[in-house]
Amino acid sequence: MNALMPSATAPLFALAEPFAPLFDPFGFGRAAADYWRDSVERSILYWDVMRQRGNEYLEHIEKTRPTVLGFDTDIVMEGETLPRPVNYELLRVHPPEGVETDELARPFVVVDPRAGHGPGIGGFKPDSEIGIALRAGHPCYFIAFMPYPVPGQRVEDVVEAEVTFLRHVAELHPDSEKPMVVGNCQAGWQIMMAAALEPELFGPILIAGAPLSYWAGERGKAPMRYTGGMTGGSWATHMLSDMGDGLFDGAWLVQNFERLNPANTWWDKQYNLYAHVDTEADRYLQFERWWGGHVVLGGEEIQYIVDNLFVGNRLSTAQLVTSDGRRIDLRNVRSPVVVFCSQGDDITPPPQALGWVRDLYDGVDDIIANEQTIVYCVHDKTGHLGIFVSGSVSRKEHAEFTANMDYIDVLPPGLYETTVSKASERPDAELIERDYLLEFSTRDLDDLNQVVKHSPEDELRFATVARVSEINLGLYRQFLQPWIRAVSTPESARWMRKMHPNRMGYRLLSDRNPMMSSLPVMAESVRKHRHELGDDNIFRVYEDIGSSLISRSLDAWRVLRDRALEKAFLDLYGQPLLQSLVGLKGAVEGERQVPGSEPERRRFIQRRQQEVREQVAQGGAHEAVMRSVIFVLGGAPATDGRNFRRLQASRSELEPELRLEDFKHLMRDQFFILKQDREAALEAIPELLKGLDAKTIDGHIEHIEHVLAASGELSEHAAARFERIKALFGKARPATRRTARRSGGASGNSSAKTSPASGTSAKRGTRQSASEASRVEGQAQAAPKADAEPADAPAAKAQARTEAKPAAEAKPETKPEAKPETKSEAKSEAKSEAKSEAKPAADAKTEAKPEAKPEVETKPVAEAEPKAAQAATPASREGGNDAEKAPAATRRRSTGSPRGQRRKR
């Protein structure tokens, strides 16, 4: 207001202000005057911000390497120097002051999308993908690009350049794990193509808002997928490239994005700046510098993208083949893939981000047999750019992905859904070290279909579009292309780009427009004498209501437009006649076959399963511990990074030299074994622990308990599984060998009587050796059994010690008692016990002992270990019950005087 009014009138207003209530008792006049003054000032400031936007745009596009990256960088490798030159380059990102990185940590490589905008959005601000990784101590690299492509540049050339960049990063960090690669939007599918061609170079892959299955989508949403059909295919893209003299202006892509949400493009974004011009100017200018930094794509590049991806959908169906004959099959990707998408994304909705899994795999078993780990996270509401730009998303989801990437790297193959919850809102908050918790839950294709919402009828319609596109493109090349190329020149192409409506808006509102010359002076005066208006002003409230009505009206128009577009598409391309004319059947039976259901794929899975069966009993303690942890956690509804951190700590204690890559293979192998034949895998655990002493075995149990305790109390199902694991480990405990002295030449086997606890523990610790069983030709002696006698009754046990070492031995505590007086008494005792315990021995697991005539020595009697008794297996408990059900005479014999019973016998 002061910019439009002489300052000499200010005292007059000051004198009149005390009398204002007399003439305006309700304050409407004063509110109106204040609102008028504030609206004028905001208008001047708004247009000045738009002028600054135009100046920054012109300055930005005139740079050789324009970027909005918010960190200092150095050029490590230039794509123009490669054998197949491209306009990409590899940058090393320097951490900000006060942040240090570890050169031995896993390197992070962020690839920005080249979808009409310039590079830098992945490191746009401190709370970004790069900022989070730097603060976590990872060395970071950034793959950027320049505004104009190299002549003749193709998509395959860019993919090969990215492979070269990653190979160079791995050479710079030879002692680190494979680099994690982050691909945003368009860069996501490009990175997946590179990983399918060179899978050994990649560590975990995070694709954020990346469309991989372009035909997928839910009706009523994602109207952009209908664009190709409503324009008749890809011929229009080819025509724009020809008019651009072989170059395609990225401003056309940006315009398509803006049309998706006219309320935000035409009103909300601009009104938000106008309403909060005092605080929103800097943020608005920073974002517009990237949004308006349009780049140019090569004609061959954009045509390849539209024909093979947008219209043809060949990437997610393994139909792409490179110029040198290599098939691009996403099933070749060996690294874990994390798919991050959002329900609020109208550019890449969740079905397009996840539909490729259903396109390639017939079921989760197919994913597992292919040794792929796929993790997906669906955000509730953030938009497309918010997935990789929003500060709140970076601090939450991206921070957790970064912190748990090693855990994701060792996850067993399968399909998982991950959720991020706030630690303070969980009942086990005291067990969580970070602000948020990342949990992983196993899923199958039925769960995934709830997100993808696959429709065979719609897939047939899009297949029809692909055929129509090929026909129209052929007609265009035959009749129109020669004429358009004849009249297109580099100069006409340059003027066409300049005159694009999106570019003109920036140029007109800049200092190059003479009509804007007085605006900076007026804006500076307003800023010096600014009169901000409070939100309680009645006219300001009416302004917000009016803005809301305009925004809702534009939204309503968008809904009507999208519904009409969808109906027209479904009606047109759903006609059986059109489908027949283009060579497709007009029925659902013509649905494309899933690549995973091919016969050769089935044979591959069968071979893989046979290989796994042969590895069930191979390995040692590490395999047993990992197999046990996977089995127990398989009974829990979800797992999280706390288990991995505890498991890592245990790994460093058990085997400090074991690399993460080896740890990953160990975990995956044991998962496959459990998946293939769980019962056989569990029964082989005692064999894997064979040769270890009881102390070592107990230490392994403690490690497993430590890992499982990370997530709090186990569920009932998981706890039952853990009890079974403890019982299997108990079977592997060795027993101390005890023998009775015999005279020379005497032969026979000694049997022992134990208390119930000691018998159960010893029974659990015995295992028959197959090799010894063959040598003794079927003669075996029963493992120690539980006899029903008082807990405080003395017990005696004698075990023959022969030249052949038993397969497993019990380890009870010993106490000297009840020693036979003569050799004949010892022999009589052995025979009587063998008869009385024949039936229980048949039910229990036996230990083969060869007939021999060793010199036998008597050793102290064993007492049960309470801890071993508690961990008895169900089989051993059943054996104990069989012993209790033995004939009464047998029980009386065991409870009477040992020597008297023997003499009577």
Side-chain angles (χ1 to χ4, degrees):
M1 177 88 177
N2 290 330
L4 307 178
M5 185 180 300
S7 59
T9 60
L12 297 178
F13 281 94
L15 292 174
E17 189 170 355
F19 301 99
L22 296 176
F23 302 100
D24 185 22
F26 297 103
F28 287 111
R30 283 169 290 170
D34 292 341
Y35 173 75
W36 177 77
R37 178 176 60 189
D38 177 71
S39 63
V40 171
E41 291 177 352
R42 281 187 290 148
S43 298
I44 294 173
L45 295 177
Y46 169 81
W47 289 111
D48 187 62
V49 171
M50 302 301 287
R51 178 189 63 84
Q52 296 178 50
R53 183 191 72 156
N55 291 340
E56 291 185 359
Y57 163 80
L58 295 172
E59 179 184 356
H60 184 74
I61 65 172
E62 290 173 357
K63 293 180 180 179
T64 305
R65 288 181 168 86
T67 180
V68 296
L69 195 63
F71 300 89
D72 295 331
T73 60
D74 287 333
I75 298 177
V76 178
M77 180 179 288
E78 295 183 5
E80 293 177 336
T81 62
L82 298 177
R84 296 162 66 175
V86 294
N87 65 333
Y88 280 69
E89 57 189 1
L90 176 65
L91 307 177
R92 174 66 188 263
V93 182
H94 296 295
E97 186 177 355
V99 176
E100 296 183 359
T101 58
D102 182 6
E103 291 300 309
L104 296 179
R106 184 195 297 272
F108 267 54
V109 181
V110 177
V111 188
D112 248 14
R114 185 164 164 250
H117 309 286
I121 196 65
F124 182 55
K125 47 190 175 182
D127 286 331
S128 60
E129 294 164 335
I130 288 182
I132 293 295
L134 287 173
R135 289 202 293 271
H138 295 274
C140 289
Y141 294 84
F142 189 79
I143 296 180
F145 49 86
M146 286 170 285
Y148 290 88
V150 174
Q153 177 177 309
R154 300 175 301 171
V155 172
E156 290 182 24
D157 301 334
V158 175
V159 171
E160 291 295 335
E162 291 172 345
V163 169
T164 303
F165 293 158
L166 281 176
R167 185 176 287 112
H168 186 66
V169 170
E171 293 172 355
L172 294 176
H173 301 269
D175 298 325
S176 302
E177 301 295 337
K178 295 178 182 179
M180 174 184 173
V181 185
V182 180
N184 298 319
C185 190
Q186 174 268 348
W189 57 257
Q190 203 162 265
I191 284 298
M192 291 292 285
M193 291 174 63
L197 293 174
E198 299 290 343
E200 300 304 322
L201 292 176
F202 287 76
I205 301 172
L206 170 62
I207 50 177
L212 293 172
S213 183
Y214 300 87
W215 292 359
E218 182 181 358
R219 291 190 183 182
K221 299 180 180 179
M224 182 176 280
R225 64 180 181 145
Y226 303 126
T227 303
M230 299 312 295
T231 56
S234 65
W235 71 273
T237 304
H238 210 331
M239 183 182 68
L240 290 174
S241 299
D242 291 336
M243 294 174 65
D245 194 38
L247 298 177
F248 182 84
D249 189 0
W252 294 109
L253 297 176
V254 177
Q255 188 178 67
N256 286 337
F257 299 148
E258 292 180 339
R259 285 176 177 173
L260 287 174
N261 193 349
N264 181 72
T265 301
W266 298 340
W267 184 258
D268 290 345
K269 183 169 67 172
Q270 307 303 329
Y271 174 74
N272 184 63
L273 172 64
Y274 171 75
H276 308 94
V277 68
D278 299 292
T279 58
E280 287 292 310
D282 291 339
R283 188 198 64 80
Y284 179 87
L285 290 173
Q286 188 180 21
F287 178 77
E288 284 294 311
R289 193 156 57 99
W290 173 75
W291 186 256
H294 308 124
V295 297
V296 176
L297 289 79
E300 291 185 43
E301 288 182 284
I302 191 64
Q303 196 62 38
Y304 179 95
I305 294 171
V306 174
D307 285 338
N308 294 298
L309 305 180
F310 294 163
V311 176
N313 196 40
R314 295 188 177 98
L315 177 60
S316 70
T317 53
Q319 299 180 60
L320 278 181
V321 180
T322 62
S323 57
D324 56 357
R326 292 179 296 169
R327 181 173 297 276
I328 301 177
D329 190 344
L330 298 184
R331 292 172 296 180
N332 294 334
V333 179
R334 300 270 69 85
S335 304
V337 180
V338 181
V339 181
F340 186 28
C341 53
S342 175
Q343 295 288 359
D345 187 353
D346 55 356
I347 294 178
T348 306
Q352 293 187 9
L354 293 168
W356 63 278
V357 180
R358 191 200 173 281
D359 289 342
L360 288 173
Y361 293 107
D362 201 27
V364 172
D365 289 340
D366 199 6
I367 298 176
I368 294 173
N370 202 60
E371 300 186 29
Q372 269 202 331
T373 302
I374 302 173
V375 181
Y376 67 92
C377 179
V378 182
H379 197 277
D380 294 334
K381 58 182 179 180
T382 190
H384 180 72
L385 294 178
I387 294 176
F388 43 88
V389 174
S390 172
S392 61
V393 172
S394 295
R395 289 188 296 270
K396 186 179 178 182
E397 279 82 4
H398 284 291
E400 291 304 311
F401 291 147
T402 302
N404 292 276
M405 195 49 63
D406 285 342
Y407 181 40
I408 295 173
D409 199 11
V410 300
L411 272 177
L415 181 65
Y416 302 86
E417 181 180 9
T418 181
T419 56
V420 183
S421 57
K422 197 169 184 179
S424 59
E425 299 175 355
R426 294 177 56 90
D428 56 347
E430 68 279 357
L431 299 174
I432 303 175
E433 302 172 358
R434 300 174 54 84
D435 294 334
Y436 297 94
L437 180 67
L438 193 67
E439 291 185 286
F440 300 87
S441 303
T442 56
R443 294 288 183 261
D444 54 29
L445 287 191
D446 291 335
D447 299 318
L448 190 68
N449 283 334
Q450 298 299 318
V451 180
V452 175
K453 301 184 183 302
H454 175 256
S455 171
E457 295 85 358
D458 287 353
E459 187 169 279
L460 189 58
R461 289 183 172 93
F462 283 103
T464 305
V465 172
R467 296 289 182 89
V468 170
S469 177
E470 294 174 359
I471 295 172
N472 289 341
L473 181 60
L475 294 174
Y476 166 77
R477 286 173 172 170
Q478 180 69 28
F479 298 106
L480 287 180
Q481 187 180 59
W483 295 96
I484 293 177
R485 285 188 172 181
V487 298
S488 297
T489 64
E491 188 64 19
S492 66
R494 187 173 68 86
W495 274 102
M496 188 178 75
R497 289 192 294 271
K498 280 187 175 183
M499 298 300 293
H500 191 280
N502 282 34
R503 295 178 184 269
M504 282 294 294
Y506 291 94
R507 290 180 178 275
L508 289 176
L509 299 177
S510 68
D511 286 340
R512 296 187 184 182
N513 184 351
M515 297 181 63
M516 306 292 288
S517 58
S518 61
L519 191 58
V521 179
M522 298 172 61
E524 183 65 24
S525 177
V526 168
R527 291 189 182 96
K528 289 182 179 179
H529 308 282
R530 179 76 170 100
H531 296 83
E532 293 188 40
L533 187 66
D535 293 335
D536 58 347
N537 185 283
I538 186 64
F539 293 98
R540 181 64 181 271
V541 174
Y542 289 154
E543 177 189 291
D544 291 339
I545 294 174
S547 172
S548 179
L549 289 174
I550 295 174
S551 179
R552 291 180 182 180
S553 299
L554 291 172
D555 270 336
W557 176 78
R558 173 185 59 82
V559 171
L560 291 174
R561 179 201 65 185
D562 293 346
R563 287 180 179 176
L565 180 68
E566 181 178 72
K567 182 172 176 54
F569 177 89
L570 297 177
D571 291 344
L572 176 61
Y573 291 100
Q575 296 181 24
L577 177 60
L578 178 60
Q579 294 171 357
S580 300
L581 288 174
V582 298
L584 295 174
K585 295 180 181 180
V588 181
E589 293 86 89
E591 182 183 359
R592 174 186 52 82
Q593 187 180 19
V594 177
S597 60
E598 299 162 351
E600 57 270 22
R601 193 71 185 172
R602 300 292 113 200
R603 289 192 293 270
F604 163 76
I605 295 176
Q606 292 173 1
R607 288 195 303 269
R608 179 62 178 146
Q609 291 173 346
Q610 181 60 33
E611 293 173 0
V612 170
R613 291 190 190 100
E614 298 171 357
Q615 301 174 3
V616 171
Q618 297 178 5
H622 292 154
E623 285 75 9
V625 170
M626 184 60 64
R627 191 177 299 180
S628 302
V629 170
I630 295 174
F631 172 68
V632 176
L633 291 180
T639 182
D640 55 68
R642 294 174 294 178
N643 302 105
F644 171 70
R645 286 187 282 274
R646 292 288 179 87
L647 201 58
Q648 267 192 321
S650 299
R651 170 177 66 95
S652 62
E653 295 175 13
L654 295 173
E655 188 61 52
E657 302 300 325
L658 192 65
R659 288 172 51 88
L660 180 63
E661 186 69 19
D662 300 329
F663 182 55
K664 174 181 177 180
H665 289 307
L666 172 63
M667 191 169 187
R668 291 193 167 209
D669 288 344
Q670 297 311 308
F671 173 82
F672 280 130
I673 292 173
L674 276 169
K675 182 72 176 178
Q676 181 62 32
D677 192 342
R678 187 176 70 180
E679 292 304 318
L682 294 176
E683 291 300 324
I685 287 179
E687 184 68 22
L688 298 177
L689 298 172
K690 182 179 178 181
L692 301 181
D693 55 40
K695 183 178 179 180
T696 304
I697 292 176
D698 291 340
H700 290 323
I701 285 289
E702 292 177 2
H703 281 303
I704 296 175
E705 289 178 340
H706 190 60
V707 171
L708 300 178
S711 299
E713 186 177 356
L714 292 176
S715 65
E716 181 179 354
H717 189 44
R721 290 189 172 200
F722 186 40
E723 288 300 321
R724 184 176 182 186
I725 290 298
K726 289 194 288 186
L728 292 169
F729 272 68
K731 281 186 178 182
R733 283 192 182 89
T736 52
R737 291 173 295 179
R738 298 177 298 105
T739 58
R741 293 185 179 274
R742 295 173 181 261
S743 61
S747 64
N749 293 331
S750 300
S751 71
K753 296 190 296 179
T754 65
S755 65
S758 63
T760 304
S761 175
K763 179 180 178 181
R764 186 178 61 249
T766 60
R767 182 179 181 89
Q768 180 177 355
S769 171
S771 60
E772 293 180 16
S774 61
R775 286 182 7 225
V776 300
E777 297 179 355
Q779 295 183 1
Q781 185 178 22
K785 293 166 286 298
D787 293 329
E789 72 180 62
D792 57 348
K797 178 178 178 182
Q799 181 178 358
R801 182 172 60 190
T802 64
E803 294 178 357
K805 185 179 179 180
E809 302 170 344
K811 185 183 178 182
E813 294 180 0
T814 60
K815 181 165 71 172
E817 187 153 3
K819 180 163 120 181
E821 294 181 358
T822 64
K823 299 177 185 177
S824 60
E825 287 178 353
K827 188 173 182 179
S828 300
E829 180 188 6
K831 291 181 179 180
S832 63
E833 289 299 308
K835 291 180 180 179
S836 64
E837 297 177 353
K839 186 177 184 302
D843 297 333
K845 290 185 178 179
T846 61
E847 180 179 12
K849 300 181 186 251
E851 283 192 19
K853 297 181 181 180
E855 188 175 8
V856 181
E857 296 180 359
T858 302
K859 288 198 172 182
V861 178
E863 287 188 349
E865 294 180 6
K867 186 173 182 180
Q870 292 176 2
T873 64
S876 62
R877 286 196 294 269
E878 291 172 7
N881 293 335
D882 292 340
E884 293 174 1
K885 295 175 183 178
T890 304
R891 293 200 299 272
R892 283 196 298 270
R893 252 196 330 269
S894 64
T895 56
S897 170
R899 295 175 62 181
Q901 295 287 346
R902 293 191 209 104
R903 288 173 181 167
K904 186 176 180 179
R905 294 286 295 176

